[in-house]
Amino acid sequence: MNNNEERIPLTFAEVYRRARAVGPGAFPPFDLQRGLDDLKTWIDREVDLVEETGQHDTSVAARRSPAELRGRHDLLEELVALARRPEDGPAVLVGPGGAGKSTLAAALAEQARSWDRQVWWVSAADLAGLSAGLTSVVRDLGGSRTDVESISKGAADGPDRLWRLLEGSSRNWLLVIDNADDPWTLAAADSPAGVQDGAGWARASRRGLVVVTSRETDERMWTGARIFDVGHLGMADAAQVLRDLAPDAGDETEARALARRLGGLPLALHLAGKYLRSGVAQWPTFATYDQALGSLEGTMVDRTAELSLDGLARHGVPQARELMRLASCYAPESIPTRILPRTGLKEALDGLRGVGLIQESPASITLHPVVTDTNRAHLEGPEVWHSAIAYLVGALGELSFGRPEHWPQYRLLGQHLLAMLDTAADRVDQEHLALLMDAAATTARALIHSGAGRAAGTLCQIALASSTALGEEHRAVLRVRHQLAWAVANAGDLTQAEAIYQDVLGVRRRVLGDLDPDTLDSRHEFGWIAGRLGRWPEAEQRYRDTLGDRLIQMAPDARDTLTTRHELAYAIAQQGRLGEARRAFEDVLRDRQRVLPDRAPQTLQTQHAIAWITAKQGNWAEAEGLYRALLDLRQVLETDHPHVLLTLHELAWTIARQGRRAEAESIYRRVLDRRSRTLGDDHPETETTRWALSELRQGRIADAVHPA
């Protein structure tokens, strides 16, 4: 594929790579390997706020004051008791938005962690978020790529696959499915009911408890579950919440009157109390605040939020309202501050945190979903949506999909891209919709590079479903389809991928012309898919034709030209002309080492090809050394990344050829286990390793077929 690299700064991922580089060789003892893996898990958890959704809560509920549990302790005790006998579950916390359901679930999660239970927190606000969260749970449990694929596609067997893993977990657990306001999101694909038939995502188990939070209060929708009604607080508790938050704002009687006005809704009580003690209050007492509320229209959360924003504006922070409107365009959780306006940002964030409208971490903010909804309702016209798209696209433009340390940021921004595809597509003009499509294509490309091809495919499908207004022949739509084809190919369906590539190429040739950069990309990939399907003479000719036209447009050492030169050399090698191919690869390697950053993935791909040709030429010991060096260079990648597993597979081949069959068998078994778990038992790459292992056990050695 074409790539875009930049010089790599020192990051946590680079520190981790360097730490591993000082380890004792490519195959450290198990305990050291496990320790290094634990280190990477810690880095991912602390730095990337998206991927490990099961290990931390990014919701508002996860960071609360003690006052927010007032009036809920009896419910919490019931939930704790249920968590100790989870076979009586699942539990469903029902109530209006802002009632504190997530807060209660987060308190239970803290209790579960104190028992050393595994805890996952999954958002069910939309199907994409639910799928992403559940696939993260599956990965934590060691599920295969087939398991992940079934869940991401919404296949009928997805819930069964998840529950086989949950029931087989070595630890007891708690799974919170937050904001499942539509119970049907929890149903299996072919099920007539949400949790009622016990066949969906929320079930009872002796191993752990599923807790669902939902605004759906109809008990008929939750038959088979333990229902906990999280309603409005009684007036005594509601008044005490206000007095806890604003002790100087008035007496008990006045607090009760305001609590009654607010309907005992915990979120509204929280916003009112934080405002009253914030120092920006124009109405600083319970009584005057009560009067001010009575003059406004809208929901109570809307009224309290607008009073807080009015107060900030009067105290010289008018940008706080603009920031809230903009933030409401994104997903509520973990909004990076770098996709927010820089002018007056610190003052706005300080003010909004002070009145309780946001939760702030060092590099992101989180809004309550109800607060997001109320601010989104104030948006009139497309202007704010356009700004939100521009900020998101700008942040993505600062990343490079070829740099592994950027992949966590793509995942983080990806959740906001998904949210905007869901909510903004029919609110913006075609120019900004096209920007969203281009962002989806770029993010999908990064996900594929990271080894998350299935997530990339899902993102492309969601983007295409939102692109109707642009038409099927729009340049940005074609870019998304181009990435979808790559994701489909990586999933093993080469025939379908070729059909997509062929269709995109035909449209691009007709609409854009043969020499357009996008058309050249399609021509290159059509050669690539021909090679993957074994049609190497055709692939060689397509690469030669593409290379000739690329050289008309750009220099021989331009990144895209180098990509085609690399793939052409590989097509030559696959036809047995190893000497010619090696010379071509060595030329590409010199140019890539000169123009690309150190350890650029594309440079490593060329080094990998040279190692493979060295082995094919029978220089087994030299090839083994090249493969081991390549493993050291690729330590920045996940241990289950496809490139790492391919290197190990081919290393085992060279070791077997040198007569060390027991060592080769051990490596093959390791690769087979990882490929089975991450790709699935029936994936072509898994089958390749299984065949090589079977042949070795029968005294034969299967040559490695290095994929394009």
Side-chain angles (χ1 to χ4, degrees):
M1 306 298 291
N2 297 334
N3 300 285
N4 178 25
E5 302 83 16
E6 302 171 16
R7 188 159 297 281
I8 301 174
L10 190 62
T11 65
F12 278 112
E14 178 69 4
V15 171
Y16 168 69
R17 185 201 62 74
R18 295 185 182 189
R20 293 199 65 164
V22 301
F27 299 99
F30 176 76
D31 56 341
L32 177 57
Q33 179 70 57
R34 183 172 180 176
L36 291 168
D37 288 344
D38 288 344
L39 171 61
K40 188 173 190 309
T41 298
W42 176 85
I43 292 173
D44 286 344
R45 183 175 67 249
E46 296 299 319
V47 177
D48 174 15
L49 301 177
V50 159
E51 182 67 11
E52 302 298 327
T53 57
Q55 300 304 314
H56 48 74
D57 302 335
T58 56
S59 64
V60 173
R63 298 179 293 276
R64 63 191 183 282
S65 67
E68 290 178 284
L69 280 177
R70 186 171 296 282
R72 303 302 193 201
H73 293 288
D74 289 345
L75 277 175
L76 180 58
E77 289 180 7
E78 290 185 57
L79 285 169
V80 168
L82 181 59
R84 293 189 180 278
R85 54 174 196 282
E87 64 271 17
D88 293 335
V92 181
L93 312 184
V94 301
K101 303 179 295 295
S102 300
T103 299
L104 191 57
L108 178 64
E110 288 182 5
Q111 183 67 62
R113 288 194 186 92
S114 73
W115 302 335
D116 194 33
R117 296 196 179 184
Q118 178 83 349
V119 176
W120 295 284
W121 191 285
V122 174
S123 172
D126 55 68
L127 286 174
L130 178 65
S131 174
L134 292 175
T135 53
S136 180
V137 175
V138 167
R139 291 190 187 99
D140 284 349
L141 291 168
S144 70
R145 187 166 182 172
T146 303
D147 295 325
V148 172
E149 178 179 345
S150 293
I151 291 172
S152 65
K153 282 187 171 181
D157 67 344
D160 287 339
R161 288 180 176 275
L162 171 67
W163 275 93
R164 277 196 293 271
L165 294 166
L166 287 170
E167 296 287 18
S169 173
S170 60
R171 293 171 61 189
N172 290 338
W173 46 264
L174 174 73
L175 170 59
V176 178
I177 303 178
D178 196 26
N179 294 320
D181 297 331
D182 180 2
W184 298 103
T185 61
L186 304 181
D190 58 356
S191 172
V195 303
Q196 299 177 50
D197 58 6
W201 301 113
R203 306 181 185 181
S205 170
R206 292 182 179 273
R207 300 296 298 155
L209 178 66
V210 177
V211 176
V212 177
T213 73
S214 178
R215 299 187 202 183
E216 177 55 73
T217 59
D218 187 346
E219 295 186 2
R220 294 172 296 180
M221 300 301 297
W222 305 113
T223 302
R226 284 282 305 277
I227 300 175
F228 294 82
D229 187 3
V230 187
H232 295 205
L233 294 177
M235 287 305 103
D237 286 324
Q240 191 57 52
V241 168
L242 289 171
R243 299 193 75 188
D244 288 342
L245 292 169
D248 300 324
D251 59 24
E252 174 72 15
T253 300
E254 294 166 329
R256 280 181 176 258
L258 178 55
R260 191 173 298 108
R261 167 81 71 178
L262 296 170
L265 185 68
L267 177 59
L269 294 166
H270 172 77
L271 293 177
K274 294 287 285 186
Y275 167 87
L276 289 168
R277 68 180 297 174
S278 66
V280 302
Q282 181 183 7
W283 321 105
T285 67
F286 297 138
T288 56
Y289 190 88
D290 191 353
Q291 293 173 357
L293 282 175
S295 65
L296 299 176
E297 296 181 354
T299 67
M300 272 305 154
V301 173
D302 189 17
R303 296 189 212 181
T304 54
E306 289 304 302
L307 281 179
S308 296
L309 294 173
D310 287 344
L312 289 171
R314 277 189 294 270
H315 278 74
V317 194
Q319 68 271 27
R321 178 175 271 110
E322 298 172 8
L323 189 147
M324 288 297 292
R325 303 296 195 246
L326 183 77
S328 73
C329 297
Y330 303 123
E333 299 178 355
S334 298
I335 304 171
T337 53
R338 63 197 188 94
I339 62 173
L340 300 174
R342 305 306 304 174
T343 303
L345 180 61
K346 183 181 185 306
E347 294 80 1
L349 294 180
D350 288 345
L352 291 168
R353 185 181 63 250
V355 296
L357 283 170
I358 65 169
Q359 295 287 335
E360 184 182 7
S361 62
S364 67
I365 65 171
T366 292
L367 279 61
H368 192 287
V370 177
V371 173
T372 294
D373 291 344
T374 59
N375 275 274
R376 193 176 289 170
H378 285 278
L379 298 180
E380 297 180 359
E383 291 78 12
V384 176
W385 294 100
H386 290 171
S387 295
I389 291 170
Y391 283 117
L392 178 62
V393 170
L396 286 167
E398 296 172 359
L399 306 176
S400 173
F401 51 77
R403 292 171 55 175
E405 73 276 13
H406 284 180
W407 295 339
Q409 286 300 311
Y410 275 109
R411 292 192 291 268
L412 173 60
L413 295 173
Q415 70 172 341
H416 301 292
L417 174 59
L418 283 169
M420 297 199 76
L421 288 169
D422 182 50
T423 58
D426 59 351
R427 302 171 184 251
V428 300
D429 60 25
Q430 291 196 2
E431 176 187 354
H432 288 83
L433 181 57
L435 288 175
L436 281 178
M437 294 302 113
D438 279 333
T442 301
T443 303
R445 195 172 193 177
L447 292 173
I448 293 168
H449 274 265
S450 75
R454 186 56 55 187
T458 300
L459 172 60
C460 290
Q461 290 167 344
I462 291 171
L464 290 172
S466 303
S467 67
T468 306
L470 295 177
E472 296 181 353
E473 296 185 352
H474 193 283
R475 182 186 290 271
V477 175
L478 292 171
R479 285 173 178 165
V480 175
R481 294 190 65 208
H482 182 94
Q483 297 304 319
L484 176 61
W486 195 11
V488 169
N490 274 295
D493 194 342
L494 299 178
T495 301
Q496 182 186 0
E498 183 178 32
I500 300 172
Y501 275 133
Q502 186 170 20
D503 186 55
V504 172
L505 174 58
V507 175
R508 281 176 163 172
R509 275 185 155 150
R510 177 166 48 80
V511 175
L512 304 176
D514 237 23
L515 298 182
D516 184 89
D518 285 359
T519 307
L520 289 170
D521 287 348
S522 278
R523 292 171 59 188
H524 172 97
E525 298 303 346
F526 204 53
W528 176 75
I529 199 67
R532 288 294 300 270
L533 288 165
R535 306 196 305 265
W536 291 110
E538 176 189 339
E540 178 184 355
Q541 189 58 53
R542 288 187 179 279
Y543 284 137
R544 289 191 184 280
D545 291 344
T546 303
L547 179 60
D549 285 341
R550 282 206 194 279
L551 290 172
I552 295 174
Q553 307 290 327
M554 57 190 71
D557 59 0
R559 291 184 176 95
D560 290 349
T561 308
L562 286 169
T563 299
T564 302
R565 287 171 57 195
H566 172 99
E567 298 294 352
L568 172 59
Y570 185 68
I572 292 169
Q574 284 290 354
Q575 297 174 79
R577 290 144 49 203
L578 298 180
E580 179 185 352
R582 182 170 189 136
R583 290 189 294 274
F585 276 128
E586 288 171 346
D587 288 343
V588 172
L589 180 61
R590 279 191 294 272
D591 284 343
R592 279 183 159 171
Q593 288 175 329
R594 178 169 49 81
V595 302
L596 300 182
D598 292 341
R599 297 185 179 87
Q602 297 70 40
T603 305
L604 299 186
Q605 288 172 6
T606 304
Q607 290 178 250
H608 194 155
I610 291 173
W612 175 73
I613 285 183
T614 301
K616 291 287 287 184
Q617 291 174 324
N619 301 316
W620 304 110
E622 180 186 354
E624 179 185 352
L626 293 174
Y627 280 123
R628 290 189 182 277
L630 189 61
L631 278 175
D632 288 340
L633 293 170
R634 280 179 165 161
Q635 292 301 335
V636 70
L637 300 177
E638 301 280 353
T639 56
D640 289 342
H641 191 283
H643 290 174
V644 173
L645 297 181
L646 178 62
T647 306
L648 285 170
H649 177 97
E650 294 180 10
L651 174 64
W653 167 50
T654 64
I655 290 172
R657 285 293 184 183
Q658 295 175 77
R660 290 152 35 214
R661 299 199 174 192
E663 183 180 352
E665 181 177 345
S666 175
I667 299 172
Y668 275 138
R669 287 200 308 267
R670 176 181 172 189
V671 175
L672 179 60
D673 175 69
R674 291 183 178 180
R675 280 181 163 172
S676 295
R677 179 158 43 85
T678 59
L679 301 178
D681 288 336
D682 57 351
H683 191 279
E685 292 178 20
T686 307
E687 292 176 351
T688 296
T689 301
R690 185 181 296 110
W691 170 252
L693 180 58
S694 174
E695 288 289 283
L696 187 65
R697 286 170 173 168
Q698 297 178 54
R700 299 185 292 269
I701 300 174
D703 278 348
V705 181
H706 185 76

